[in-house]
Amino acid sequence: MAQWTSTVGAAQLARQLQAQQPRPLPPGGRKPPAYRALADGVRLLVLEGRVPVAARLPAERELALALALSRTTVAAAYEALRTEGFLESRRGAGSWTAVPAGNPLPARGLEPLPPESLGSMIDLGCASLPAPEPWLTRAVRGALEELPPYAHTHGDYPAGLPALRQTIADRYTGSGVPTMPEQIMVTTGAMGAIDAICHLFAGRGERIAVESPSYANILQLMKEAGARLVPVAMEEGLGGWDMNRWRQVLRDAAPRLAYVVADFHNPTGALADEPQRRALVEAARSAGTVLIADETMSELRLDEVGMPRRVCAFDPAGSTVLTVGSASKAFWAGMRIGWVRAAPDVIRSLVAARAYADMGTPVLEQLAVNWLMRTGGWEEAVALRRGQARENRDALVRAVRRELPEWEFEVPHGGLTLWVRTGGLSGSRLAVAGERVGVRVPSGPRFGVDGAFEGYVRLPFTVGGPVADEAAVRLAAAAELVGSGAAAGAEAPRTFVA
């Protein structure tokens, strides 16, 4: 029986390897042999989780052709990986990736560290903040008071509690987008919403246009659903969308879906203006593409900037734009409540399809969010969240500029992330070296398709004060390791470094 659970094609692996930045050489150092460079490249992809563990690698001859190398070079690289514990093989079954005994399995997304690890590791992987108390406690107490009538029912509400659907619809209407509760489905977080949309609209092999870069966990969700991702490059800095590129991709590729984060984009922090939003909706409508507008960051405005109208405001008929919202970023990630706003017939289709997935979202959490939104607690909690994020952003910016002046970034006016160019260093190697010195940071390629953005990392506004200072010091230590070549090809850490 084969030991591998997925496969990596020769062309795909070649693209990922060729996108890696070359390993820096120490003073007086010599370029490593070709087989060693290839082995280090594959190992780095495994350590970072971009090639999954137990993935079958292409045959030596296939990879040699894709990389324009000799088969002998590829065979030597595979043998080196087997010796180091990163590859296993069996006659007739091929070769598949592995990790040596004692090494942690690499994360494929941006999962938070377990709480027991937080004392020794500064976690910059997850862009989420602690709950804004006392509002979480107040919301749960309010929900418990309203729970008894619902406890006498079956508790299954596939479309969401009617009261919460009405409250969310009223909030859209209050923002200038008339909405009925029949246009709302409550979901288990924004991920649940987008997963449901992808399964309804985009079967395996369907094209989905995505910003490049884009949110790593959504990209992974779409890949695992079998979608063919079509990246559309963002403008540099905080410029946002390049509408000429979007028009071309939507016209030429005719994707079934397109996914965008117009409000304080994750990871760049860009805010799309109204002309861009109007033009994108028009282009999507012309191409017959359904547009997913992710608004999970929309309430995290940290500076005094004018907020454009919602993307769905430019689609009055509701036939093109599906809007996704969530309590996770604006309130707390532990409150797994999201929602979809769409035309009533789309909502009915989503609800019908949901019966085969999770049946509905927990009642108590829905009541808590409804209590917050209905009593004004939501606005109070979001104001607290903005203050936390603003202070953390400013502290992190100061610390990184002090410790790593060669790193480049623009400070966004909202959201939770900095998108940082790392002065020519490999983001993947920085991620590996960071774990050795006690800071966890996601590298740029996690936010791209097939190895793009090797020269970037994403830094979230999750730490402030002395912790932000220490995080920057540890990032500088990781950069020194990478710059000296000491981190190249290093194994993943067996223990966390304090």
Side-chain angles (χ1 to χ4, degrees):
M1 180 178 177
Q3 301 298 307
W4 46 271
T5 58
S6 61
T7 61
V8 180
Q12 177 188 357
L13 183 58
R15 286 195 301 270
Q16 290 180 288
L17 289 165
Q18 290 164 349
Q20 290 178 335
Q21 292 181 333
R23 129 185 203 173
L25 298 177
R30 293 190 300 174
K31 185 176 180 180
Y35 85 89
R36 182 71 264 169
L38 176 56
D40 286 347
V42 172
R43 175 165 53 179
L44 193 62
L45 292 173
V46 173
L47 285 173
E48 234 224 330
R50 290 189 288 124
V51 168
V53 175
R56 186 177 185 270
L57 295 186
E60 295 169 2
R61 187 186 302 276
E62 294 174 357
L63 187 58
L65 287 172
L67 292 172
L69 294 173
S70 70
R71 184 177 177 183
T72 302
T73 297
V74 176
Y78 276 19
E79 181 58 33
L81 290 166
R82 276 189 288 269
T83 300
E84 295 157 3
F86 285 90
L87 197 68
E88 297 181 10
S89 304
R90 195 173 70 199
R91 185 178 297 277
S95 299
W96 56 92
T97 56
V99 292
N103 284 55
L105 287 175
R108 297 193 67 191
L110 301 178
E111 299 86 351
L113 282 174
E116 62 270 18
S117 301
L118 293 177
S120 57
M121 179 73 69
I122 298 176
D123 186 9
L124 298 181
C126 186
S128 296
L129 289 163
E133 289 288 25
W135 294 105
L136 175 62
T137 299
R138 291 178 181 176
V140 173
R141 287 174 178 166
L144 287 172
E145 291 176 0
E146 297 177 4
L147 181 61
Y150 296 93
H152 294 292
T153 72
H154 50 63
D156 288 334
Y157 296 88
L161 292 184
L164 180 56
R165 296 176 73 194
Q166 182 68 64
T167 298
I168 293 172
D170 290 345
R171 291 178 66 85
Y172 277 100
T173 299
S175 70
V177 184
T179 303
M180 303 179 295
E182 292 80 9
Q183 291 179 261
I184 302 295
M185 180 177 83
V186 181
T187 62
T188 307
M191 293 286 287
I194 294 170
D195 182 58
I197 292 169
C198 289
H199 278 91
L200 180 63
F201 284 92
R204 299 192 69 85
E206 292 276 7
R207 295 184 180 92
I208 301 180
V210 295
E211 296 150 328
S212 183
S214 187
Y215 179 37
N217 286 340
I218 293 296
L219 295 181
Q220 191 63 42
L221 180 155
M222 291 174 173
K223 289 176 184 176
E224 293 185 357
R228 297 165 60 190
L229 301 186
V230 183
V232 186
M234 299 276 289
E235 292 184 355
E236 284 294 320
L238 300 178
W241 299 337
D242 184 327
M243 284 314 307
N244 289 331
R245 288 174 176 159
W246 271 103
R247 291 188 187 94
Q248 180 180 356
V249 167
L250 294 176
R251 181 182 64 248
D252 296 347
R256 185 70 182 92
L257 289 173
Y259 169 76
V260 297
V261 185
D263 300 288
F264 307 120
H265 175 259
N266 187 355
T268 68
L271 177 65
D273 59 27
E274 285 204 3
Q276 290 173 323
R277 294 168 190 241
R278 180 184 292 106
L280 183 62
V281 173
E282 291 173 354
R285 185 182 297 116
S286 297
T289 297
V290 174
L291 181 62
I292 305 172
D294 186 337
E295 293 187 339
T296 54
M297 295 283 191
S298 63
E299 299 201 57
L300 293 174
R301 182 186 62 184
L302 306 185
D303 299 324
E304 292 300 322
V305 293
M307 291 296 294
R309 285 180 290 169
R310 298 174 184 268
V311 175
C312 59
F314 302 98
D315 180 40
S319 59
T320 298
V321 178
L322 308 183
T323 303
V324 172
S326 171
S328 295
K329 300 299 185 184
F331 186 73
W332 184 46
M335 190 71 76
R336 304 303 304 160
I337 299 295
W339 54 86
V340 180
R341 180 198 180 274
D345 61 319
V346 173
I347 293 297
R348 287 193 294 270
S349 297
L350 287 169
V351 171
R354 187 179 195 179
Y356 304 99
D358 64 357
M359 292 297 292
T361 303
V363 170
L364 188 63
E365 284 86 342
Q366 292 188 70
L367 288 172
V369 171
N370 190 54
W371 183 92
L372 284 165
M373 291 181 171
R374 184 170 46 80
T375 62
W378 179 267
E379 284 70 24
E380 296 279 354
V382 169
L384 182 60
R385 167 68 74 238
R386 287 172 178 158
Q388 287 179 302
R390 186 183 302 111
E391 290 179 5
N392 288 355
R393 178 197 64 180
D394 296 346
L396 187 64
V397 166
R398 287 193 300 268
V400 173
R401 283 177 172 166
R402 181 180 64 247
E403 300 295 335
L404 293 150
E406 67 278 12
W407 286 17
E408 302 173 15
F409 54 87
E410 290 190 40
V411 181
H413 295 297
L416 287 173
T417 57
L418 282 181
W419 184 237
V420 182
R421 193 192 300 268
T422 56
L425 298 179
S426 162
S428 298
R429 290 187 170 89
L430 279 167
V432 174
E435 298 227 5
R436 295 177 61 190
V437 299
V439 60
R440 183 172 182 257
V441 58
S443 71
R446 288 188 179 276
F447 303 88
V449 177
D450 286 337
F453 306 109
E454 185 63 68
Y456 290 81
V457 294
R458 190 195 73 171
L459 305 181
F461 312 146
T462 52
V463 296
V467 181
D469 292 335
E470 179 61 23
V473 168
R474 295 186 188 188
L475 286 171
E480 185 175 354
L481 283 175
V482 173
S484 69
E491 293 185 3
R494 295 174 186 266
T495 57
F496 293 128
V497 180

